[in-house]
Amino acid sequence: MSDLLKEVYTRNYLEEVAREFKRNYKSFNSKLFISTVLSNDWKKLELKMRMKRITFSLNKVLPKEYDKSIVVLTKSSKKFSGYQAMFFPDYVETYGRDSENITKSLDALEELTKYSSSEFAIRPFIIADKNKVMKKMLSWSRSKNYHVRRLSSEGCRSRLPWAVALKSFKEDPSLILPILENLKDDPELYVRKSVANNLNDISKDHPDLALEISKKWYGVSKDTDWIVKHGLRTLLKQGDLRALRIIGYSDSKNLAIRNIKVDGKVNIGLSLNFSFELNVAKKSKVRLEYKIYYLKSNGSHNSKVFKISEGEYSKGSYEVLKKQSFKEMTTRKHYSGKHFLSIVVNGEESSKVEFRVL
């Protein structure tokens, strides 16, 4: 993560944390806490390890009895928010996973997520006892607090970014589905976004199940339509015709791509210019994309789809002008040689056109 993110843990911030803990626990040794956090290689640590250092340092100065330390921790958390305060739930994850503490820990995570987020901390508990924890998370999906409701979905995503994957839910996501059903009409967009992201995770391992859910939800309301469209985004980008049909993109029999023109060559660091005509025989809902087949170091090609537009098109002919950057990126290295471009309309791909990268 960015160096800028980790710099939030300034001495002033740590002193503010210490003051709040001292207010709730008179024996809190502020000087020892801060010196332990900032000791040795602190400046070299990245964000996650700085967060973990704070967790370890708190353990040195909080009561040794977990049930007492968790009370102080929860009381002290209320004045801190955002990603920087995620050391609060991290403390629960690190020291509260023993079987005799699990009920206290889940209750603490429910409270702590209202101020930062327990989405990462809950996952080891799921791995340890998914049936018990998912029963609790199902109850969270009916909470009056929208942060808790979001946790019930976000915490059990099988592929949550930056988090340990939940292998059992990649294999069988059935325990997740009742939670998503409870939240699909949630009044908070923040919660509905999590439902959509969870559905998208499911679609990567169980596309048929994600499509089945989407068929039931689509057309019920604008909110569920948005969830379905966002939740099927991976399948849509892959040109899955079943996903496209669910959200109203018909086959391309009334649509035609003609006169694709592409620069014959482009230098690394510059942009490729291309154009084409979209002919619409009658008013249609159109999803328009293009696909670049990038040359890899081993001589094979890897394709990536880029979105152009989507929406209603009236009968007529439309000229589309686009450009694609070939600047070097940390996520993609360009190689000189033969590449290809194609146009994708409602999931159906045109013939490929060759160009060369120099």
Side-chain angles (χ1 to χ4, degrees), residues 199-201 203-204 228-240 243 287:
L199 181 62
N200 186 54
D201 285 359
S203 76
K204 295 175 182 178
V228 167
K229 186 176 177 182
H230 196 62
L232 293 182
R233 63 186 183 275
T234 297
L235 294 178
L236 291 170
K237 201 164 188 179
Q238 292 171 353
D240 189 292
R287 181 183 175 94

Side-chain angles (χ1 to χ4, degrees), residues 69-198:
S69 70
I70 210 69
V71 171
V72 177
L73 186 88
T74 303
K75 285 182 179 179
S76 303
S77 70
K78 302 183 189 304
K79 289 192 175 181
F80 302 93
S81 61
Y83 73 89
Q84 60 266 46
M86 290 177 72
F87 60 85
F88 286 98
D90 184 68
Y91 185 97
V92 178
E93 174 190 343
T94 305
Y95 298 109
R97 284 156 57 184
D98 293 341
S99 57
E100 64 269 21
N101 291 323
I102 189 167
T103 299
K104 295 185 186 74
S105 294
L106 294 179
D107 289 343
L109 291 178
E110 179 180 359
E111 181 65 20
L112 294 171
T113 206
K114 298 173 184 177
Y115 312 107
S116 54
S117 178
S118 299
E119 64 195 71
F120 299 112
I122 191 65
R123 298 171 79 80
F125 292 91
I126 295 174
I127 293 170
D129 191 344
K130 67 179 180 181
N131 290 314
K132 180 173 183 176
V133 177
M134 289 301 286
K135 184 177 180 181
K136 183 69 170 177
M137 293 179 78
L138 181 60
S139 73
W140 288 347
S141 71
R142 297 185 288 269
S143 172
K144 292 180 180 179
N145 185 284
Y146 69 90
H147 291 289
V148 177
R149 297 198 303 274
R150 178 186 179 271
L151 174 62
S152 70
S153 168
E154 197 72 5
C156 64
R157 285 179 56 188
S158 60
R159 294 169 173 266
L160 181 66
W162 305 104
V164 60
L166 297 178
K167 184 179 178 182
S168 64
F169 288 165
K170 285 184 178 182
E171 296 170 354
D172 179 11
S174 58
L175 288 176
I176 299 174
L177 304 187
I179 291 173
L180 302 189
E181 283 290 342
N182 283 350
L183 299 177
K184 70 180 189 297
D185 299 307
D186 197 276
E188 296 289 338
L189 177 60
Y190 182 57
V191 177
R192 298 196 303 273
K193 280 184 178 179
S194 180
V195 174
N197 288 333
N198 206 319

Side-chain angles (χ1 to χ4, degrees), residues 6-43:
K6 72 180 184 179
E7 294 304 329
V8 71
Y9 295 127
T10 62
R11 176 175 281 274
N12 286 341
Y13 182 88
L14 295 171
E15 288 174 349
E16 186 180 353
V17 169
R19 281 194 296 272
E20 189 61 21
F21 273 94
K22 184 75 171 179
R23 194 173 72 84
N24 294 299
Y25 177 49
K26 300 305 180 186
S27 299
F28 188 86
N29 189 330
S30 299
K31 186 177 290 187
L32 177 59
F33 167 68
I34 293 173
S35 64
T36 304
V37 172
L38 298 178
S39 64
N40 301 326
D41 56 349
W42 170 254
K43 290 185 177 181

Side-chain angles (χ1 to χ4, degrees), residues 186-310:
D186 197 276
E188 296 289 338
L189 177 60
Y190 182 57
V191 177
R192 298 196 303 273
K193 280 184 178 179
S194 180
V195 174
N197 288 333
N198 206 319
L199 181 62
N200 186 54
D201 285 359
I202 292 171
S203 76
K204 295 175 182 178
D205 300 300
H206 302 274
D208 291 343
L209 176 59
L211 291 166
E212 181 185 336
I213 293 168
S214 298
K215 282 180 183 178
K216 290 192 302 180
W217 291 0
Y218 197 80
V220 174
S221 70
K222 288 183 179 180
D223 289 341
T224 53
D225 286 356
W226 183 90
I227 288 174
V228 167
K229 186 176 177 182
H230 196 62
L232 293 182
R233 63 186 183 275
T234 297
L235 294 178
L236 291 170
K237 201 164 188 179
Q238 292 171 353
D240 189 292
L241 296 179
R242 299 168 298 172
L244 285 159
R245 301 301 176 257
I246 286 174
I247 62 173
Y249 293 103
S250 60
D251 60 44
S252 58
K253 65 181 180 181
N254 295 309
L255 308 168
I257 300 296
R258 297 194 176 95
N259 299 325
I260 303 175
K261 297 177 182 177
V262 184
D263 288 346
K265 57 187 178 181
V266 60
N267 288 79
I268 293 174
L270 301 181
S271 293
L272 176 78
N273 298 289
F274 64 95
S275 64
F276 60 92
E277 286 182 17
L278 168 66
N279 290 287
V280 182
K282 69 175 185 178
K283 186 176 180 180
S284 302
K285 188 175 181 181
V286 179
R287 181 183 175 94
L288 204 54
E289 300 162 305
Y290 63 96
K291 184 182 289 189
I292 301 285
Y293 289 83
Y294 290 99
L295 181 65
K296 296 168 64 177
S297 59
N298 63 5
S300 65
H301 288 83
N302 181 48
S303 65
K304 182 170 176 58
V305 177
F306 300 89
K307 187 175 176 181
I308 299 174
S309 65
E310 58 181 353

